Amino acid sequence: MGPDVPLLNDYKQEFFLKRFPQTVLGGPRFKLGYCAPPYIYVNQIILFLTPWVLGGVGTLLYQLGIMKDYYTAALSGGLMFVTALILQMTNLYAKQKTVRVERMQIQNTLTDEDEFEFSSCVGSETVKFIIPGKKYIINTVFHSLLAGVLCGLGTWYLLPNRITLLYSNIGGTVMIFVFGWVTICIGEYSLIINTATETATFQALDTYEITALMRPFYIFVFIAVDLAHRFAVNTAILEQTNQILHIIFLFLPFLWAMGILPPLDALFLWGMEQLLEFGLGGSPMSSNTKEIQRVYLFGVFRNPFYPKDVRTVTVFMEKQRRLMKVGVVRRILLTLVSPFAMIAFLSLDRSLQNLHSVSVCIGFTRIFRMVWQNTENALLDIVVVSIAQMLVFNPDLWWNRSLDTGIRLLLVGILRDRLLQFVSKLQFAIAILLTSWTEKKQRRKSTATLITLNVIFLPILLTFVAISALLSSPLLPLFTLPVFLIGFPRPIRSWPGPVGATACVCSDTVYYQQMVPSLAVALQSALAAGSLGLSLPGSHYLCRFQDRLMWILVLEKGFTYCGVNIKGLELQETSCHAAEAHRVDEIFEMAFEHQEHAKILSPNYHFGHILTPCTVLPVRLYSDARSVLSGIIDSHENLKHLKDDFIKVLVWMLVQYCYKKSKTLESPGNADKSKGGSFPENPHSGAVERSRPLREEDSFSVDTIEDWTDDSDIFDLEPSGRLKDRKEPGQLGTTPKVHLPIPGSVETRSQDVPQEMSPEDKLYRAVVLGLPAVDKGKQQEVLPQVEFSCCYSELLSIPEEWRTAPVPTSKVNEMRQRFPEEWYHFTLSQLDFFHLKEKPSNLLEDLMKDKALKDLYIHGVLSCCFGLFGLDNTVPAPSHVFRAYTGGIPWSVGLDWLTGKPELFQLALKAFRYTFKLMVDKASLGPVENFKELANYLEEYENDWYIGLVSDLEWQQAVLQEKPYLFSLGHDPNMGIYTGRVLTLQELLVQVGKLNDEAVRGQWANLSWELLYATNDDEERYSIQAHPVLLRNLTVQAADPPLGYPIYSSELLHLPLF
C-alpha cells in the first residue's frame, strides 16, 4: 500500500466529523449527515443555553441588589433542577407514547442508524432524538439533582462582582463570565440532555452512565477551590490558586475534547495507586490485601476486582491471576517484612531503656511473641497505639503517665478482641430478632411480644451482649428464640474431647475422606493469600459443592501454620437440611455465578445472613451426575444387541483373565509343572481327565421332551427317535445329561445308563419334573481330553471347573454359530506375551488357528450366558437387565451352577456391567465403528472406571483409590424409572463462606443446654427446624457427637501457610 492511503476512510471520516463537534460541545448534534428540520437545531441550541438563562436570572437579581449571592445560587439551582426533571419526564412520556409502534418496527440495516423521521417540533421522535433519556430511574433523579446543584454553584462561581474582585478588570470579567458559562452549559448538556462520547475512554461500555458525571466532576473541583477561598481566612495562596483556576476553567472544553483529563473510573484507580505509592510509601499493588482477596468487601459490597461469573477452574484461575499476585505480596509482607519491622520499632521504645518492671516484662514479652504468632493483629495494635500517642499531648494524662508501651498494646489488644466479639454478637442478636418476624415459618404467637420486650428493654439487651463479649462467652438464645442469656465461658472449640474422635460414619463418608486432603491443600493457599479474611482461632467456614457440605473450624493459628478441623455433613437431605442448603446455594450463586452483568460494588443482598461468601477453591473431588435412562434401557433395539455385546465383552474378559494369569508362568513347561505334572511331549495330547466320560444319551433338554410322540413306549428310557440318532461324543465333551421317565411310571434302569448321578443332575431332574432327588454320593467324573494344536494354548486355557455347566449339545452348536470369531481373533492379536522369554514368531497365528482353544471359550461363554439369561433366545426385559446388573436374578439351575464358581460369576457379572455401560455409551455417543474402538472402550472401563453399585464395598474402595470414573445403575420404584449415576474425578471449584462465629457459638451453647440440661432430644423440636438465615439445622449437624451428627470429622490438620 502506498503512502497516500488516508488515515480514515471516507465513511470513518464522515463519522468522525459528525462525532467530534458533538464531543467538543458536550452532546448537541449539529452535523447529522442528512437533512433535518431547522427546529431540530433550534431546540438543541435552546436547551444548550438554558442553564445560562436560568443562571442569568439569578445573576441579574444579584447585580441589581434584589437578592444576596447564596439566594441567587439557590434560585438558579432550583430552577435548573425543575427544568431537568421536566425534560426527563418528557422523554419518558415520549417513550411510552411510541412504545407500541417501536415493537412493531423492523430494523432496516440499509439506512443510517442515526436517521430519524421527524414529524413536528415537539413530536415523540424529536424528543427522543434530542433527549435520549437515562437507562435507570435513579439516574434520572440523581442527575437532575446534580444538574441543579451544578447550575446553582456555577452561578455563584461566575458572579461578575466576584470575578471583578479577583482581577479588577472589566474586560477579563466579561471574558470569564461568557466563556465560563459556555463551560457550564457544556457540562450541563452532557449531564442532563445527551452525553457526548468522550475521547478519553477507559471502559468499553458505560453500563452505569458514569461518563455523564465526568465533566460536572471537574467543574465541581474548580468550584470547590473558590468556595474554600470564600469561607477561609484570607490566604494569599488560595487567592492566587483561585485566580489561575478561573482562567483554566475556560479551557476545560479543550481539555475534555483532547482527552487530557481522565474519566472518573480511571482517575479513581490512578489516584489510589499514587496515594499508595507516594502518600503511604507502598508499592502500586499494596492495599488492604486481606479484603481485596474476598468476594465481598467487609461483607457489604462486592469486590470489583474479584472474578465475575465463576463456574470453572480454568476461567477462575485465569481471572484470579492478578489477585494471586496481590496474595503473594501480602504473604511476603506478613511473614517477612512486617514482623522484623515491628520488632525494630518496638526495640527503639524508651520503656526498654529504663529499669525493667513487671509490667514492662509482661507487656513486651506478649507483643514480641504476638508479632510472630498473630502478625496482622499485632500490626493493627501497634498502629492504634502509635496514633493515640501522637494525639494525646497531655503528659499528665494517665495514658502517658501510668502506662508503658507494652501495657498499652495489651489493653488495645483486649479492647480490639472484645469489640469484635461485641459487634458479632450484636449482629447475631439482631438477626434473631428480625428473622423471628420476617421469616414466616419462624413467626410464632409470642414473636410480637418478644420483639416488643426486646425493644423496651434494649439497654438491658445491650448490657447482656457487652458482658458476654467481656467474658468471651457465647450469647445464648434460649431455644433459638429472641430470649437472650449469658452463657458460661468455654473453650473456643465449644466441645470437650479430642478433635475428630467421633463421627456418624456411613457409606457417604468416603466422599469426604477422598476430598479432604485436596481441600486442605487448597485451604493452605487461601489462608496464606488472605482469601478467607481474618481467620483466627474460633473462625468457622462453610464449603459447598453439589450435595456436599464441609464445615471448617480453625482451632489454632500461628506463624505460617494453621490448625483446622473439617467435618462433613450428611448427603441424604431431610426437608430442613434441604431448605437451608438451598439458601446456601442461593447466596453462593449470587456471589460467584450471577455477577457477569452486576454493578460495580454491587451490594451483598444477603447482608445480615450468618454466611458471607469469601472465595472459591479448586479441589480435586468427584462430581456427581445423575440421569434418567428412559429411552435407553427400555429400547428394544438396544436390548436386542445386549446379548451379542455381552458375548463379545465376556470373550475379552476371559482372554484377559487367562492372559494375566499366564504372566506368572514363563513357558508352557512351567505352566504344566505348576499343576504338579509334566507337559506332554506330544503337543496334541493334552487332556483333562475325570473318572467318568460324558455320553450324549445322558443329556436332557427341551428337545428331549419334544421328541416324545404318541407312538413312543411310555416305559422307554428315551424316545425312539433319540435312540436312533445317538452320536458319539465330540472332541469337546458336554456336561452330564439326565434321562427322565414319565412322572408316575415305575423307574427302570438300563445297563447302559449310569446307576448314579451327580448332585447337579439330580437337582436338575427334581426341578424340571418335580421328582425327589436322592443323594447317593458323588463320584468323580472324567472330562474328555482337550487336544490343543498349539502348545502355548494351555496358557490361555480356562479352568476346567468352568467347563461343567449343564447345557445341552444343541446350545453348544448354536453358540458356535453366534460366537464372534473375528472379535475373538482380534482380542488374541492384541496380546503381546512379553513375559515369555522364548516364543515363536507365529505364536498369535497358531493360537487363532487352535479350534480346541476356541471351543473352550465357546463353552465358557455359553456357561455364563446360561447362568444369566437361561437357554431361551428372547430379548431380555429392562427388569431382567436391572436384576442381572445388581446380581439379583431369580434362582435357576444355570445361576446355581454359576454362583458355585465364585470367580467365574464375578467375571460374568463384571462383563455384564461393562456391557450395560457400553449400551449406555452407544446410545449416548453413537455406535461402535470397529473392533479397535470396542477394545478401547473395554480397556478404559478396566483401567479408569468402576462399574457397579453404590452399595458395593468396592465402590467405596474405588472412591478412596481415586478411580477416575464410577458408574452405577439404580431404580426408583415410586416413579418406575431407571437411573444412571456417574462420578467423575476432576478439579472443580468449591465455594467457601465465612460464618458468624458468635452465631455458631450461641446456637451450640443452646444445643448443649437444651440437650444436656433440659434433655430436649425431640427430633422435631423447634430449635432444630430449618432457619434459612441462621442455618440452624446445619449448625446442629456440625456439632460434635453425640449432640451433633456429622458423618465425617477429621483429626487436627496442620496447614503450613508459608
Side-chain angles (χ1 to χ4, degrees), residues 973-988:
N974 296 324
M975 301 182 65
I977 58 174
Y978 297 94
T979 59
R981 182 181 182 185
V982 177
L983 299 186
T984 305
L985 182 65
Q986 54 188 321
E987 193 174 48
L988 297 168

Side-chain angles (χ1 to χ4, degrees), residues 350 388-404 408:
R350 61 183 179 181
Q389 196 70 18
M390 290 187 295
L391 296 178
V392 178
F393 298 104
N394 188 357
D396 295 330
L397 194 66
W398 66 274
W399 177 265
N400 287 330
R401 185 182 67 253
S402 305
L403 303 178
D404 58 72
R408 293 172 193 155

Side-chain angles (χ1 to χ4, degrees), residues 329-344 371-372 375 379:
V329 173
R330 174 188 181 275
R331 193 179 312 178
I332 295 174
L333 290 176
L334 283 181
T335 58
L336 296 177
V337 179
S338 296
F340 290 106
M342 287 188 286
I343 289 175
V371 162
W372 296 102
T375 307
L379 185 60

Side-chain angles (χ1 to χ4, degrees), residues 172-193:
T173 300
V174 173
M175 290 283 294
I176 293 175
F177 180 80
V178 173
F179 289 101
W181 268 109
V182 171
T183 301
I184 291 178
C185 288
I186 290 175
E188 290 279 12
Y189 200 98
S190 179
L191 176 64
I192 202 64
I193 306 298

